[in-house]
Amino acid sequence: MTKKTKIRQTGCPVAFGLDIFGDRWTLLVIREIMLRGKRTYSEFMEMEEEIATNILIDRLKALEAEGLVNKTRDPENRRSFLYALTKKGRDLAPILLEIIIWSGAHDARSFALTDVLEKIEADRDGFEHELRSE
Amino acid sequence: MTKKTKIRQTGCPVAFGLDIFGDRWTLLVIREIMLRGKRTYSEFMEMEEEIATNILIDRLKALEAEGLVNKTRDPENRRSFLYALTKKGRDLAPILLEIIIWSGAHDARSFALTDVLEKIEADRDGFEHELRSE
DNA sequence: ATTACATCTTGCAAAATGCAAGCTAATTTA
DNA sequence: TAAATTAGCTTGCATTTTGCAAGATGTAAT
């Protein structure tokens, strides 16, 4: 796994968060799990943004190392693994939510998750609770 | 300015947001403006995370190009410029807020903005409103 | 005219990302 | 039971981004 440069241990919570998920891919993997119910390496590989295999595995390992996901063998397919969010990972829900709201407000073309946006607008707390619950 | 690769125009609002602020520095610059009242290039250079001059100017130009900040000459010091958040930029407040909350919950060492965290816990909406207002 | 301040630019090194190919283990098919 | 397939990686190398150090430009004070 690529050594993650953390020059940011300044005690600032913004910097702390960015050290963990402030890159171009981590939150997209979280999105796949949280919003789309993806659970396996090959399911993640199907995301439309075309993540490279080495980057994906790197992010999955980093997420596991940081305690945001855990990895278990799939009992129903023993050559597969299941990645699931921990509480620490599920707690990213409000951040993802606010990003979606911001983009909804500022990008005319945010069409892909329109249904999600509508749900959020109708009942933000309900939607958030839905995301956080396993 | 470094050409920003936006391979992510998939319509997903999460990807859209990350294309704009999903890197290791952009949200730290926003933090400087929003939480610390910084307004000039040299004030940004003083941040404790030690951003390089070329990266800083690159992010400022990108933020301006995306319409998140605007740049004006300082009327009181004509060799300086003032960077200020636009509405689109101020609308990032809830995202920053949620990052702070997440780190507050998951990092034992998030001491630097403890006062901010306490304010948020006491009155989230009030604090958010305070951030958003110029 | 000289110095200082504030903002930026440039060149090069290091690190992260991206791409293509291939490798390993578990399982299915012939 | 040997060959093919599936799932999850690993590796090597090219490209892009980031980081570092030095210097250039424009404004203002002495």
Side-chain angles (χ1 to χ4, degrees):
Chain A
M1 171 170 43
T2 308
K3 194 192 85 184
K4 200 156 187 182
T5 35
K6 289 195 186 174
I7 40 161
R8 307 279 205 49
Q9 309 218 354
T10 52
C12 168
V14 179
F16 176 82
L18 294 178
D19 264 345
I20 293 175
F21 52 76
D23 70 278
R24 297 176 80 57
W25 290 108
T26 300
L27 286 181
L28 291 186
V29 174
I30 301 287
R31 173 199 69 187
E32 292 300 295
I33 307 178
M34 203 178 283
L35 273 68
R36 296 175 176 165
K38 305 278 184 72
R39 294 180 305 165
T40 68
Y41 177 93
S42 28
E43 283 174 336
F44 300 143
M45 277 309 295
E46 288 163 6
M47 73 169 92
E48 66 268 48
E49 286 89 1
E50 314 225 307
I51 188 169
T53 58
N54 55 340
I55 304 292
L56 174 58
I57 197 67
D58 186 86
R59 290 316 118 96
L60 287 172
K61 284 180 181 172
L63 282 170
E64 208 190 349
E66 292 289 353
L68 278 78
V69 306
N70 58 45
K71 179 184 180 182
T72 54
R73 260 194 194 283
D74 184 345
E76 286 166 19
N77 177 0
R78 292 213 16 101
R79 63 186 146 177
S80 190
F81 295 90
L82 298 178
Y83 291 90
L85 291 172
T86 61
K87 165 128 182 13
K88 188 173 179 181
R90 287 194 303 276
D91 281 353
L92 291 174
I95 297 174
L96 230 49
L97 218 65
E98 294 296 350
I99 293 175
I100 293 170
I101 292 169
W102 185 86
S103 296
H106 297 286
D107 177 25
R109 294 159 311 175
S110 274
F111 52 83
L113 289 175
T114 314
D115 53 330
V116 170
L117 257 175
E118 279 164 14
K119 263 195 216 170
I120 295 172
E121 273 158 31
D123 175 20
R124 194 208 128 116
D125 289 347
F127 183 76
E128 190 187 317
H129 186 264
E130 197 179 301
L131 278 192
R132 298 180 100 112
S133 61
E134 209 138 342
Chain B
M1 172 170 43
T2 308
K3 195 191 84 184
K4 200 157 186 179
T5 35
K6 290 194 185 175
I7 40 159
R8 310 280 206 44
Q9 310 219 354
T10 52
C12 168
V14 178
F16 176 83
L18 293 178
D19 263 345
I20 293 175
F21 53 76
D23 70 278
R24 297 175 80 55
W25 290 107
T26 300
L27 287 181
L28 291 186
V29 174
I30 301 286
R31 174 200 67 187
E32 292 300 296
I33 308 179
M34 203 177 282
L35 273 70
R36 297 176 175 165
K38 304 279 184 74
R39 295 180 304 166
T40 67
Y41 178 93
S42 27
E43 283 174 335
F44 301 143
M45 278 308 296
E46 289 164 5
M47 74 168 92
E48 66 268 46
E49 286 89 2
E50 313 226 308
I51 188 169
T53 57
N54 55 341
I55 304 292
L56 174 57
I57 197 67
D58 186 87
R59 293 314 120 94
L60 287 172
K61 283 180 181 173
L63 283 170
E64 206 190 349
E66 293 289 352
L68 277 81
V69 305
N70 59 44
K71 178 185 179 180
T72 55
R73 260 194 194 281
D74 185 345
E76 288 167 17
N77 176 2
R78 292 213 16 102
R79 61 188 148 177
S80 190
F81 294 91
L82 297 178
Y83 292 91
L85 292 171
T86 61
K87 165 129 184 11
K88 189 173 178 181
R90 287 193 303 275
D91 282 353
L92 292 174
I95 297 173
L96 230 50
L97 218 65
E98 294 295 352
I99 293 175
I100 294 170
I101 292 170
W102 185 86
S103 296
H106 297 287
D107 176 25
R109 294 158 310 175
S110 275
F111 51 85
L113 290 176
T114 314
D115 52 331
V116 169
L117 257 176
E118 279 165 13
K119 263 196 217 169
I120 296 170
E121 273 158 33
D123 175 19
R124 193 208 129 116
D125 289 348
F127 183 77
E128 190 186 317
H129 187 263
E130 195 179 303
L131 277 192
R132 298 180 99 114
S133 61
E134 211 138 340

